[in-house]
Amino acid sequence: MTTISVIGCGYLGAVHAAAMASLGHEVIGVDLDQRRIDMLSASKAPFFEPGLEDLLHDAQALGSLKFSTDLSEISAASVHFLCVGTPQRKGELGADMTFVDAAFSSVLQHATAGDLIVGKSTVPVGTASRLAELAGSADGVLVAWNPEFLREGHAVEDTLSPDRLVYGVPDGAAGEQATTRLDEVYADILRRDTTRLVTDYATAELVKTAANSFLATKISFINAMAELCEASGADVTQLADAIGMDDRIGRKFLNAGLGFGGGCLPKDIRAFMARAGELGADQAVAFLREIDAINMRRRIRMVDLVREVCGGSLIGKRVTVLGAAFKPNSDDVRDSPALSVAAQLSLQGADVVVTDPEAIDNARSRFPELNYVADTIDALRGADAVLLATEWTEYRELSPDQLKSVVGVPAILDGRNVLDPGLWRAAGWTYRALGRR
Ligand SMILES: NC(=O)C1=CN([C@@H]2O[C@H](COP(=O)(O)OP(=O)(O)OC[C@H]3O[C@@H](n4cnc5c(N)ncnc54)[C@H](O)[C@@H]3O)[C@@H](O)[C@H]2O)C=CC1
Ligand SMILES: O=C(O)[C@H]1O[C@H](OP(=O)(O)OP(=O)(O)OC[C@H]2O[C@@H](n3ccc(=O)[nH]c3=O)[C@H](O)[C@@H]2O)[C@H](O)[C@@H](O)[C@@H]1O
């Protein structure tokens, strides 16, 4: 059993804290946000994440998990996980490192000799060695970087059963000590034959940014193919199925549509470009600019398509947007393609109604000017066009026959290529999608 602190209890940290407690450790989670801490202390997840509340409840019933806004409480811990945000800096591509730097300094103040500080936040390569240098002046504090690969909506299973664990550690005895401590923390996971890769700081940091860049590239690749499918009359879903059957390519992350959003892929590829520039290696990842551009074009193209379906003008047309979260099974609306399209449609004169099973509150605080309706059927009433923007199961299962009498005009835009066009057309709907006939 290790006594652990987790600094920053957002999408990453809250799950990490609860998961570490479920592995038998004593955990204190710390955040500056009092509301978040109050909810977590009451075993309530401050955001929608399947399985998190059960984990919080079980660990708190055993007394092995506590939350606080008081950073001094971490002094009881010997391993400290940094899970604070690294958002995009306003008006720039690079990551805002102020939260990581501030959290690291605070931890240093409360850490004692022999403690291990483990970075989990996604950071520009070079951060860990910079912070380790700062720690060098503190007596015997070790630094490791252990990037996180969890997906929102699957965060609990991804944390407890990761594809791999990556440790970035310093050379020599300090590295061995850090590795041993991390092995103790993850003992239960390692016992299940999980691969662990021990490497230097820079490689560990780059593994994370490279992985997210690859995922973003895969999505933009298929979306570029969708543009070509649209130009040539081909079908991008069949194309993805066919190329995905090649094991070397694989079908995952080849779903064309509105593209990627969220608090990670967009900001991570931009931070990667910024950092590569600082290192004089901007050419190496110049292609990411195009990946980003392809991604953003999908949103613009969807606005055009909705306008087309509405007869050339959006003014006064009622458009129902199904989904606000950046992906299903999440209430996260950071850089959500659904909301970005909804906001554009509204700016261009449409009367936009947005619905989502979990993300309405978050969406309203970001885009208060849009109309939100909780009930799907109520949201669809009188619509001149319906846009499926986030593929929640309940939207995928909507019946075109039943909905026909609810909407004003039966026109559906499938922003995630998840509906059966034949079924909707047979029920008398106009069906349109990006890169699909
Ligand atoms: N959201 C995700 O699925 C994943 C996120 N990451 C990375 O993890 C990091 C955190 O991301 P999220 O959890 O999504 O961000 P978030 O914004 O949900 O959570 C960050 C939390 O840190 C707190 N915080 C900031 N400064 C603090 C300080 N000095 N002391 C204590 N708490 C502080 C904030 O109040 C907030 O609750 C980012 O670097 C992100 O790229 C990595 C893998 C998955
Ligand atoms: O660094 C992070 O924070 C995380 O970022 C992503 O996870 P996440 O943002 O939760 O969501 P994804 O499932 O990757 O989806 C990202 C976006 O891509 C879109 N997407 C995904 C797959 C696809 O085929 N097509 C597609 O458009 C989704 O709709 C969503 O908007 C990575 O998948 C995680 O491994 C990583 O840990």
Side-chain angles (χ1 to χ4, degrees), residues 340-425:
S340 147
V341 170
Q344 252 316 308
L345 293 170
S346 167
L347 274 176
Q348 295 189 25
D351 167 20
V352 179
V353 175
V354 179
T355 187
D356 190 285
E358 296 293 340
I360 287 185
D361 290 346
N362 286 344
R364 190 182 279 115
S365 62
R366 294 250 168 161
F367 291 94
E369 69 276 20
L370 299 174
N371 300 315
Y372 297 94
V373 174
D375 182 78
T376 310
I377 298 298
D378 287 344
L380 287 164
R381 273 186 221 293
D384 293 303
V386 179
L387 165 61
L388 193 164
T390 312
E391 69 278 29
W392 287 93
T393 305
E394 60 193 89
Y395 301 152
R396 301 169 77 128
E397 291 174 350
L398 285 170
S399 152
D401 286 319
Q402 277 171 12
L403 287 192
K404 216 174 150 195
S405 58
V406 175
V407 296
V409 179
I412 181 105
L413 295 114
D414 183 0
R416 293 293 175 180
N417 290 346
V418 289
L419 302 175
D420 177 349
L423 200 70
W424 285 75
R425 287 190 180 123

Side-chain angles (χ1 to χ4, degrees), residues 38-45 52-54 56-58 60-61:
D38 289 345
M39 289 188 76
L40 288 164
S41 301
S43 296
K44 294 254 173 292
L52 175 59
E53 283 194 353
D54 288 344
L56 287 167
H57 188 267
D58 293 352
Q60 283 175 329

Side-chain angles (χ1 to χ4, degrees), residues 179-343:
T179 302
T180 306
R181 307 290 294 282
L182 281 170
D183 281 352
E184 283 162 11
V185 169
Y186 293 126
D188 269 15
I189 295 174
L190 291 169
R191 218 169 281 132
R192 281 179 268 125
D193 285 340
T194 306
T195 305
R196 101 178 174 350
L197 189 117
V198 182
T199 182
D200 53 84
Y201 290 145
T203 306
E205 291 163 328
L206 275 177
V207 167
K208 175 66 199 179
T209 17
N212 274 4
S213 299
F214 191 83
L215 294 172
T217 302
K218 215 173 165 189
I219 298 168
S220 276
F221 175 82
I222 200 64
N223 281 329
M225 294 306 107
E227 290 187 8
L228 274 168
C229 285
E230 197 171 324
S232 61
D235 185 303
V236 73
T237 53
Q238 288 178 9
L239 174 93
D241 288 345
I243 63 172
M245 282 168 195
D246 184 331
D247 274 352
R248 294 169 303 171
I249 296 173
R251 180 64 178 82
K252 289 180 183 164
F253 272 65
L254 282 184
N255 296 319
L258 274 176
F260 58 84
C264 294
L265 297 191
K267 64 116 170 122
D268 286 349
I269 61 169
R270 292 171 193 157
F272 199 14
M273 285 186 268
R275 183 62 184 141
E278 287 167 7
L279 293 169
D282 37 351
Q283 285 285 317
V285 290
F287 71 95
L288 289 175
R289 201 170 280 279
E290 197 52 39
I291 298 307
D292 203 355
I294 294 166
N295 193 49
M296 298 317 278
R297 276 209 298 275
R298 297 291 72 195
R299 302 179 187 188
I300 297 165
R301 177 68 192 124
M302 183 50 89
V303 174
D304 291 346
L305 205 56
V306 180
R307 193 188 313 101
E308 214 175 293
V309 164
C310 287
S313 168
L314 287 164
I315 295 169
K317 298 287 181 177
R318 171 166 271 236
V319 182
T320 300
V321 178
L322 298 174
F326 83 106
K327 68 174 204 178
N329 298 316
S330 173
D331 65 356
D332 193 347
V333 299
R334 289 178 288 184
D335 200 3
S336 164
L339 285 180
S340 147
V341 170

Side-chain angles (χ1 to χ4, degrees), residues 116-174:
L116 174 66
I117 306 179
V118 189
K120 286 203 81 65
S121 303
T122 302
V123 294
V125 58
T127 301
S129 59
R130 176 172 65 77
L131 297 179
E133 247 173 63
L134 289 178
S137 47
D139 212 13
V141 172
L142 297 166
V143 174
W145 219 265
N146 169 221
E148 177 57 56
F149 304 96
L150 69 81
R151 300 158 297 164
E152 288 179 26
H154 302 269
V156 171
E157 58 187 280
D158 286 351
T159 305
L160 290 172
S161 306
D163 290 337
R164 74 298 207 189
L165 291 166
V166 176
Y167 306 169
V169 297
D171 289 337

